[in-house]
Amino acid sequence: MSILVSILCMTYNHELYIEDAIEGFLQQKTNYDVEIIIGEDCSTDNTRKIVKKYMNEYPGKIKMITSDHNVGMNKNAQRLIESSRGKYIAICEGDDYWTDPFKLQKQIDYMEEHPECSLCFHAAEIVINKEKQTGNLVRPYNNNKICPTEDIILGGGGFCPTASLLFPRRIIEHLPAFFQKAHVGDYPLQMWTACQGYAYYMDEIMAAYRIGNQSSWTNQLIREGDLKEKLIKVKMSDIQLLKEFNRTTDNKYNPVIEETILKREFEILLLQHNLRKLKTTKYKILYTQLTTIEKLKLLTKFYFPRAYRAMVGMKKIMYRNN
């Protein structure tokens, strides 16, 4: 059997959500063969049990890659890629899901007609936890269009919904060194696949991006404490990633990378409440773009830190009592 698309799903402690993801895979209507490969990263809940249930219900349709110990996000993704056989790879993490049964067919039709395209993605709705809709979207444009790689660099890892990504497998068979060292997977994946040809955006909502999942990367940051320092570390890692991507691509995107690095530096200074550096000539344009409220908060944090902490504490108490 010739597989055209490999659906790769990375999951860890997604027992509340993994069924939605798998159902979205199984409901796809295509005129070609697909394979579903799920990387179960040694969950401590019932995720593996649920995946096995579906494997029994759909014999030969779903393959699970796992181990007796947790390997982490990047290694989990790598072993899925190595196990895939499709010409194309479609990504969906275990807490997201697809909402359009023709999603894959639409994307593959475009990719097959445009072999120079190296990444296809689309819009997604944002939902909370199990099923609550927010009314918000991840929708970078309001029409179908070719997406410049520069937009993806500027937009960061959240520019393209991860559950919307589809690209030729050949592009990631031999990934550059900067990718292997990256602190996250979605941002370098988007930049790398886009720059290998061109990215195409379909202005259709065909997936759901879930927020509020307790095992998500963002919530792990919050639970681990010292959120400010961890956010600073993430932004510093973004800067290093961008510098290495710049070298790998022979400075092809240097202007937009320098602009993005400047924004990350500015965000770090904001987190550090470093008003003096924020108001220097280097960051003058970004500082003037802050709203009046943002500037007032910054001034209060800088000149009256104890008063600011007291106000934040009072707001938390009022919020809990409401």
Side-chain angles (χ1 to χ4, degrees):
M1 179 177 65
S2 177
I3 301 295
L4 189 63
V5 179
S6 297
I7 300 171
L8 305 188
C9 176
M10 292 161 287
T11 185
Y12 174 72
N13 283 358
H14 290 153
E15 67 175 359
L16 297 178
Y17 320 119
I18 191 64
E19 288 192 7
D20 291 339
I22 296 175
E23 289 290 344
F25 305 153
L26 294 171
Q27 290 172 9
Q28 291 300 301
K29 302 182 185 301
T30 64
N31 57 15
Y32 50 80
D33 291 322
V34 304
E35 64 176 356
I36 302 170
I37 312 178
I38 299 177
E40 196 290 302
D41 199 11
C42 201
S43 299
T44 58
D45 61 9
N46 291 315
T47 299
R48 186 180 300 194
K49 182 178 179 181
I50 295 169
V51 174
K52 285 184 176 180
K53 180 194 75 171
Y54 274 94
M55 292 174 67
N56 291 332
E57 292 178 2
Y58 298 88
K61 188 70 175 178
I62 301 171
K63 178 181 179 181
M64 181 171 66
I65 306 294
T66 189
S67 60
D68 57 2
H69 65 279
N70 183 274
V71 299
M73 177 182 63
N74 288 348
K75 180 63 176 177
N76 194 18
Q78 187 60 39
R79 64 186 181 181
L80 287 180
I81 293 169
E82 292 171 353
S83 299
S84 64
R85 296 175 291 162
K87 177 180 178 182
Y88 299 98
I89 286 177
I91 302 289
C92 184
E93 295 179 347
D95 54 346
D96 297 332
Y97 57 97
W98 296 341
T99 56
D100 186 334
F102 296 99
K103 165 202 149 63
L104 285 182
Q105 188 68 58
K106 293 173 184 177
Q107 288 184 288
I108 291 299
D109 284 347
Y110 181 86
M111 297 290 279
E112 288 285 271
E113 293 172 8
H114 302 83
E116 67 277 17
C117 179
S118 55
L119 172 64
C120 183
F121 67 105
H122 54 75
E125 61 180 321
I126 300 175
V127 299
I128 298 176
N129 287 328
K130 182 65 178 172
E131 56 190 15
K132 184 178 179 181
Q133 295 182 330
T134 65
N136 297 320
L137 303 173
V138 181
R139 186 189 182 197
Y141 309 110
N142 58 9
N143 57 277
N144 296 345
K145 65 171 293 181
I146 291 176
C147 165
T149 300
E150 288 84 352
D151 285 5
I152 291 175
I153 295 171
L154 274 172
F159 186 80
C160 309
T162 303
S164 75
L165 303 179
L166 187 141
F167 48 87
R169 185 186 186 280
R170 59 175 174 77
I171 290 176
I172 59 171
E173 287 179 340
H174 304 287
L175 290 168
F178 84 87
F179 196 102
Q180 307 293 347
K181 295 185 290 184
H183 61 296
V184 290
D186 48 2
Y187 193 17
L189 178 64
Q190 293 172 30
M191 291 193 294
W192 181 248
T193 52
C195 78
Q196 297 304 296
Y198 73 85
Y200 183 74
Y201 168 73
M202 291 183 169
D203 191 37
E204 296 186 53
I205 304 165
M206 297 191 281
Y209 167 65
R210 200 188 307 269
I211 60 176
N213 168 18
Q214 291 303 305
S215 64
S216 71
W217 180 75
T218 302
N219 279 322
Q220 285 180 36
L221 278 181
I222 295 172
R223 286 197 306 273
E224 288 170 0
D226 203 1
L227 180 59
K228 184 178 76 170
E229 289 304 315
K230 292 190 178 300
L231 287 174
I232 290 173
K233 185 177 179 180
V234 168
K235 293 180 186 301
M236 292 176 66
S237 296
D238 275 352
I239 292 171
Q240 185 60 34
L241 169 64
L242 288 162
K243 288 179 177 179
E244 293 186 9
F245 176 76
N246 204 22
R247 286 193 290 268
T248 303
T249 54
D250 296 324
N251 299 316
K252 180 179 180 180
Y253 305 100
N254 189 66
V256 71
I257 287 177
E258 290 296 327
E259 179 183 350
T260 309
I261 288 175
L262 188 71
K263 287 185 177 181
R264 293 294 184 275
E265 291 174 348
F266 184 79
E267 290 163 357
I268 290 171
L269 293 174
L270 277 175
L271 287 166
Q272 295 173 333
H273 311 153
N274 194 332
L275 184 61
R276 289 190 179 90
K277 281 194 175 181
L278 285 167
K279 296 182 74 173
T280 58
T281 303
K282 182 178 181 180
Y283 305 105
K284 182 178 180 179
I285 294 177
L286 292 173
Y287 183 79
T288 58
Q289 292 173 352
L290 293 176
T291 65
T292 301
I293 292 176
E294 288 171 332
K295 288 179 181 177
L296 283 173
K297 284 184 178 180
L298 180 61
L299 288 168
T300 305
K301 289 176 186 177
F302 185 78
Y303 289 110
F304 310 103
R306 293 179 64 182
Y308 181 81
R309 288 195 295 270
M311 287 191 297
V312 171
M314 289 177 63
K315 286 181 68 175
K316 288 181 178 179
I317 293 172
M318 293 172 63
Y319 178 79
R320 285 197 297 266
N321 291 336
N322 287 337

